[in-house]
């Protein structure tokens, strides 16, 4: 059958171990893209991704490779590289038969080496380990090969030692893909089943779905049905993707490609859904589909109320390419009209904020992110709260539950003590400690998601001089002594500053906010009292003393340009202010609250 020569695979690695560089070399070696067409790190095509060095959106690239006189089709499916996008990674892997596990020979096995490996194993993939960066003076290929070999049950001597940077031994990897990864199995006689592993919105053509045909045949003119969402569309084009879209008459079982069907309703398309033939539907969708639910929420408000419509349009456009992003309108007394927005994680939130700023040029204020709380009401019902300001009055509920995660902290053993102290401070419960090798340890903790949202990752990095890594998966909700802390400016609660917090941490947090806001709120023509309060009881206080600010007083003499510069600077500063009651609060103040915990 024709699919004997197909190999579908992904590259998985810890961040910076060389996944994108290896992908570039393979694209070059197979002449999929000519050298002068070749951009660096072709797969990371969004600016933002390139800057952050992470691949956010997956794509598939078809390469042709000749081995022993035979032509093979190698479909390389790129996966997002961050813990926030685990589900998308798992769907991309589900489209493959094999995975190349890249390990930096100077760093060894790291947190995401393991988490990605586990995802690949869950998807029954054949794994080919590869040691990269052997050109580095600090590389220890033999030592790392032994560890990786033990982990996978793979002969350490047969693990390719490569340099993705120089191209050394990259052919060995291509040969192993052909030799070790099985050809796809599938039945062309069966009704169509195609896995949607990624989708991108194109304003002219609608949603472009990236798919893997598992069974059956897909061609233009067919009416397809999305099995989970029920959306039905007539296919206008199918094809494969190398540098650009290559239309083909049909896609058959085992093939990876794209499908166009004028899909304009984004909510019809869900990653992990199964496409079938509406006229001859499959009985069951493919396994593994999940609804992706946001893990954290934050309010997004335009700094200038006039920008509300622009912000809404920008969010709508972003959602087209980011099915995990969700939002609904919300009103804040302090900030006016905005949106309560749900994200997969903090990184996802930062990406969205940056894109709003860069691509859409809307100035926004974001509130302190929070998790979703389960509030058990006195009448026995349960209410889900996505915003602290929506928490009912304390007299109306019995208790609150918060989400936990199973966290794996990966650390050199000398930092184990520091990591444990950090986790205790963050209300964590110790589970286990395992050795990866003689120098590295995995600590497992049960931690409240709200605690790792703030500075946890930064603290972990600084306490371990950058060596520790973190990975987590959601677990269950647990009851805790949680309270709502309000921040008042001159007696008025600023809803955007309210947080739900553990009672034991409320005082420290409230004091820190009072001190911080005192520095950040500029002096005004009257005293500004800043107070932290729980249920009307004041627990902290600071005051910004009144003063009349005269920037020009600082310039004596006739330096006109300096005066003008100062005035312009002040005007610029004003733009980033938000009036709350009678008090002007700079945007910085909202952001600064984020760095507290
Ligand atoms: P990714 O995060 O796994 O996609 O990693 P990248 O491919 O972006 O590589 C991370 C960094 O390592 C980049 O600066 C690469 O230039 C560098 N790098 C990748 N492969 C090699 C290699 O074989 N040798 C050396 N010396 N550097 C490499
Ligand atoms: Mg990369």
């Amino acid at each position: 059958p024709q699919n004997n020569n197909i190999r579908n695979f992904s590259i998985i690695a810890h961040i910076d171990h060389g996944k994108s560089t290896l992908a570039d070399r393979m694209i070059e070696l197979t002449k999929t893209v000519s050298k002068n067409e070749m951009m660096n790190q072709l797969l990371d095509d969004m600016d933002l991704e390139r800057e952050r060095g992470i691949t956010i959106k997956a794509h598939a690239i078809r390469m042709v490779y000749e081995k022993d006189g035979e032509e093979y089709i190698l479909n390389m499916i790129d996966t997002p590289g961050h813990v926030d996008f685990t589900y998308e990674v798992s769907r991309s892997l589900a489209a493959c038969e094999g995975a190349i596990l890249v390990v930096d020979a100077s760093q060894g096995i790291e947190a995401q080496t393991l988490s990605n490996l586990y995802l690949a194993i869950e998807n029954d993939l054949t794994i080919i380990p590869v040691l990269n960066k052997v050109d580095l003076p600090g590389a220890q290929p033999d030592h790392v090969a032994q560890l990786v070999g033990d982990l996978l049950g793979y002969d350490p001597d047969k693990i390719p030692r490569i340099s993705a940077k120089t191209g050394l031994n990259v052919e060995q990897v291509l040969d192993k893909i052909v030799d070790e990864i099985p050809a796809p199995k599938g039945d062309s006689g069966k009704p169509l089943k195609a896995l949607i592993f990624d989708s991108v919105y194109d304003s002219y053509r609608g949603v472009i779905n990236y798919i893997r045909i598992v069974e059956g045949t897909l061609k233009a003119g067919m009416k397809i049905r999305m099995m989970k969402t029920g959306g039905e569309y007539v296919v206008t084009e199918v094809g494969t993707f190398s540098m650009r879209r290559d239309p083909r008459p049909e896609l058959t079982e085992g093939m990876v490609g794209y499908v166009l069907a004028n899909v304009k309703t984004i909510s019809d398309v869900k990653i992990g859904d199964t496409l079938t033939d509406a006229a001859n539907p499959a009985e069951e969708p493919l396994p593994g589909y999940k609804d992706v639910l946001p893990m954290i929420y934050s309010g997004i408000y335009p700094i200038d109320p006039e920008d509300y419509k622009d912000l809404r349009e920008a969010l709508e456009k972003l959602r087209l390419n980011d099915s995990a992003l969700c939002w609904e309108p919300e009103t804040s007394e302090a900030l006016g009209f905005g949106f309560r927005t749900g994200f997969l994680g903090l990184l996802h939130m930062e990406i969205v904020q940056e894109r709003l700023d860069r691509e859409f040029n809307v100035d926004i204020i974001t509130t302190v992110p929070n998790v979703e709380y389960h509030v058990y009401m006195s009448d026995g019902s349960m209410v889900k709260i996505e915003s602290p300001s929506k928490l009912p009055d304390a007299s109306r509920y019995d208790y609150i539950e918060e989400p936990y995660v199973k966290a794996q902290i990966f650390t050199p053993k000398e930092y184990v003590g520091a990591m444990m102290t950090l986790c205790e401070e963050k209300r964590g419960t110790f589970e286990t400690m395992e050795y990866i090798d003689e120098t590295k340890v995995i600590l497992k903790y049960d931690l409240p998601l709200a605690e790792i949202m703030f500075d946890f990752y930064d603290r972990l990095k600084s306490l371990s001089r950058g060596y520790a890594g973190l990975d987590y998966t959601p677990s269950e909700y647990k009851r805790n002594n949680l309270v709502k802390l309000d921040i008042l400016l001159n007696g008025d609660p600023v809803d955007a500053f309210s947080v739900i917090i553990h009672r034991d941490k409320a005082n420290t947090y409230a004091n820190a906010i009072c001190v911080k806001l005192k520095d950040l709120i500029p002096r005004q023509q009257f005293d500004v009292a800043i107070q932290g309060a729980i249920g009307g009881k004041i627990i902290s206080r600071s005051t910004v003393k009144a003063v009349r600010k005269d920037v020009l007083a600082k310039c004596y003499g006739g330096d006109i340009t300096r005066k003008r510069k100062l005035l312009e600077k002040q005007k610029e500063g004003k733009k980033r202010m938000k009036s709350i009651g009678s008090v002007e609060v700079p945007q910085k103040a909202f952001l600064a609250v984020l760095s507290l915990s």
Side-chain angles (χ1 to χ4, degrees):
Q2 56 174 330
N3 62 19
N4 258 351
N5 288 11
I6 298 179
R7 302 290 182 271
N8 297 319
F9 70 98
S10 281
I11 307 177
I12 55 179
H14 186 76
I15 191 142
D16 282 345
H17 281 203
K19 183 175 90 166
S20 303
T21 312
L22 176 59
D24 288 354
R25 283 303 86 69
M26 298 207 281
I27 289 167
E28 242 172 50
L29 268 173
T30 54
K31 304 193 173 61
T32 307
V33 181
S34 70
K35 222 174 179 137
N36 49 5
E37 247 186 315
M38 183 80 194
M39 291 186 308
N40 257 346
Q41 310 210 338
L42 187 68
L43 292 185
D44 299 6
D45 61 357
M46 275 164 44
D47 274 359
L48 196 61
E49 286 182 54
R50 194 167 311 158
E51 270 171 40
R52 287 173 174 268
I54 37 171
T55 306
I56 299 163
K57 270 293 175 191
H59 293 282
I61 291 226
R62 179 183 191 270
M63 304 181 285
V64 179
Y65 182 62
E66 206 180 293
K67 180 169 189 279
D68 307 327
E70 189 91 31
E71 268 196 354
Y72 293 88
I73 309 295
L74 310 185
N75 293 314
M76 173 161 63
I77 294 170
D78 199 22
T79 57
H82 188 271
V83 58
D84 285 0
F85 305 99
T86 303
Y87 174 69
E88 293 189 22
V89 177
S90 87
R91 291 310 82 203
S92 295
L93 294 178
C96 301
E97 276 72 32
I100 299 174
L101 179 70
V102 177
V103 182
D104 181 331
S106 67
Q107 302 293 319
I109 296 164
E110 302 269 9
Q112 282 124 43
T113 313
L114 290 175
S115 52
N116 283 313
L117 173 63
Y118 296 145
L119 285 177
I121 291 172
E122 271 169 37
N123 282 292
D124 285 327
L125 303 193
T126 299
I127 290 147
I128 301 176
V130 168
L131 299 182
N132 188 32
K133 306 199 189 182
V134 296
D135 59 297
L136 287 179
Q140 294 184 287
D142 293 335
H143 176 65
V144 180
Q146 193 65 50
L147 296 170
V148 174
D150 287 350
L151 183 67
L152 295 174
Y154 200 98
D155 182 348
D157 297 331
K158 302 218 163 101
I159 301 180
R161 277 107 160 125
I162 71 163
S163 167
K165 192 173 177 183
T166 67
L168 175 77
N169 293 337
V170 173
E171 273 105 344
Q172 283 182 21
V173 183
L174 291 166
D175 288 343
K176 275 184 175 282
I177 292 171
V178 169
D179 293 340
E180 295 179 19
I181 296 178
K185 290 187 196 72
D187 204 334
S188 55
K190 293 241 178 100
L192 174 69
K193 273 190 193 178
L195 172 69
I196 303 177
F197 62 84
D198 196 10
S199 67
V200 182
Y201 189 80
D202 178 298
S203 40
Y204 298 106
R205 322 212 56 179
V207 177
I208 302 168
N209 283 310
Y210 286 89
I211 50 155
R212 154 70 196 267
I213 312 274
V214 178
E215 281 169 357
T217 300
L218 177 64
K219 49 180 128 185
M222 269 171 82
K223 191 178 200 189
I224 47 167
R225 177 185 304 156
M226 326 266 187
M227 295 185 80
K228 288 286 172 191
T229 65
E232 291 194 359
Y233 295 91
V234 175
V235 176
T236 55
E237 183 182 309
V238 298
T240 55
F241 194 86
S242 39
M243 238 320 249
R244 49 191 71 80
R245 288 194 294 270
D246 262 325
R248 286 176 189 275
E250 61 177 29
L251 296 177
T252 58
E253 71 283 352
M255 289 176 83
V256 171
Y258 67 87
V259 52
L260 297 176
N262 267 320
V263 182
K264 303 279 183 178
T265 314
I266 310 305
S267 55
D268 277 350
V269 180
K270 292 269 154 69
I271 292 193
D273 198 356
T274 305
L275 286 186
T276 194
D277 180 354
N280 178 23
E283 273 175 22
E284 294 273 314
L286 296 161
Y289 174 82
K290 264 203 314 204
D291 273 319
V292 250
L293 298 172
M295 302 268 281
I296 64 169
Y297 297 84
S298 128
I300 296 188
Y301 292 85
I303 291 186
D304 181 350
E306 301 269 298
D307 286 343
Y308 178 79
K309 264 184 70 186
D310 290 349
L311 176 58
R312 184 186 192 105
E313 274 171 29
L315 283 170
E316 257 157 21
K317 284 195 182 130
L318 275 183
R319 183 156 62 185
L320 297 177
N321 271 328
D322 184 349
S323 53
L325 176 68
C326 62
W327 43 264
E328 56 180 51
E330 142 181 292
T331 330
S332 152
E333 276 170 44
L335 302 177
F337 293 103
F339 303 92
R340 176 82 356 197
T341 315
F343 308 94
L344 296 176
L346 270 192
L347 178 82
H348 186 212
M349 183 175 94
E350 280 172 31
I351 289 166
V352 170
Q353 288 170 0
E354 270 186 56
R355 292 187 65 185
L356 284 172
D357 182 36
R358 283 194 202 200
E359 293 170 36
F360 300 98
N361 213 358
V362 251
D363 285 332
I364 52 166
I365 282 183
T366 47
T367 63
V368 184
N370 57 266
V371 298
E372 181 175 81
Y373 293 96
H374 290 174
V375 182
Y376 288 82
M377 305 297 289
S378 311
D379 67 5
S381 62
M382 188 269 272
V383 190
K384 295 181 179 178
I385 301 290
E386 291 156 11
S387 162
S389 61
K390 292 218 184 106
L391 186 69
D393 192 78
S395 62
R396 291 180 51 218
Y397 62 86
D398 291 336
Y399 61 95
I400 306 177
E401 285 187 350
E402 63 177 325
Y404 272 65
V405 296
K406 298 258 173 238
Q408 301 198 35
I409 294 157
F410 189 89
T411 176
K413 67 176 179 201
E414 57 266 41
Y415 304 115
V416 165
M419 294 298 118
M420 291 178 109
T421 311
L422 175 64
C423 289
E424 314 278 290
E425 185 195 309
K426 299 291 185 183
R427 303 191 281 128
T429 314
F430 174 79
E431 296 205 318
T432 60
M433 177 165 119
E434 288 161 28
Y435 273 83
I436 306 280
D437 61 30
E438 59 279 21
T439 61
K440 287 178 181 168
V441 171
I442 294 187
L443 283 170
K444 293 192 183 166
Y445 268 86
D446 219 13
L447 278 156
L449 175 59
E451 294 284 348
I452 62 171
M453 252 170 38
F454 291 94
D455 63 344
F456 188 83
Y457 189 71
D458 293 341
R459 295 271 307 279
L460 174 134
K461 282 287 174 197
S462 70
L463 287 169
S464 66
R465 295 162 189 258
Y467 286 112
L470 169 74
D471 220 329
Y472 59 83
T473 49
S475 65
E476 54 197 356
Y477 271 74
K478 290 188 191 174
R479 174 177 177 168
N480 275 317
N481 184 9
L482 301 165
V483 292
K484 182 172 160 218
L485 172 68
D486 292 314
I487 302 297
L488 319 179
L489 292 185
N490 277 351
D492 294 326
V494 183
D495 55 4
F497 282 146
S498 294
V499 292
I500 293 175
I501 190 169
H502 196 276
R503 184 63 189 87
D504 294 350
K505 298 204 158 186
N507 286 51
T508 320
Y509 183 84
N511 281 327
I513 290 215
C514 284
V515 170
K516 196 123 197 178
L517 283 178
K518 180 172 185 266
D519 284 345
L520 290 167
I521 295 180
R523 295 186 166 196
Q524 328 226 339
Q525 281 147 359
F526 43 85
D527 280 1
V528 178
I530 306 165
Q531 296 167 308
I534 297 173
K537 187 171 165 264
I538 306 298
I539 61 166
S540 67
R541 183 189 169 97
S542 65
T543 307
V544 180
K545 285 279 173 209
V547 90
R548 183 146 194 184
K549 200 172 169 193
D550 183 1
V551 282
L552 296 183
K554 277 189 226 151
C555 313
Y556 28 86
D559 186 346
I560 290 294
T561 43
R562 181 160 148 75
K563 276 185 187 168
R564 176 166 304 140
K565 262 190 197 145
L566 272 170
L567 281 172
E568 266 161 18
K569 223 169 163 185
Q570 198 192 33
K571 208 166 107 202
E572 190 58 29
K574 273 257 161 35
K575 270 206 299 203
R576 300 196 166 267
M577 293 279 187
K578 193 94 200 177
S579 300
I580 290 172
S582 51
V583 185
E584 298 254 282
V585 181
Q587 185 192 16
K588 276 209 300 229
F590 292 91
L591 300 178
V593 175
L594 261 172
S595 61
L596 295 167
S597 64

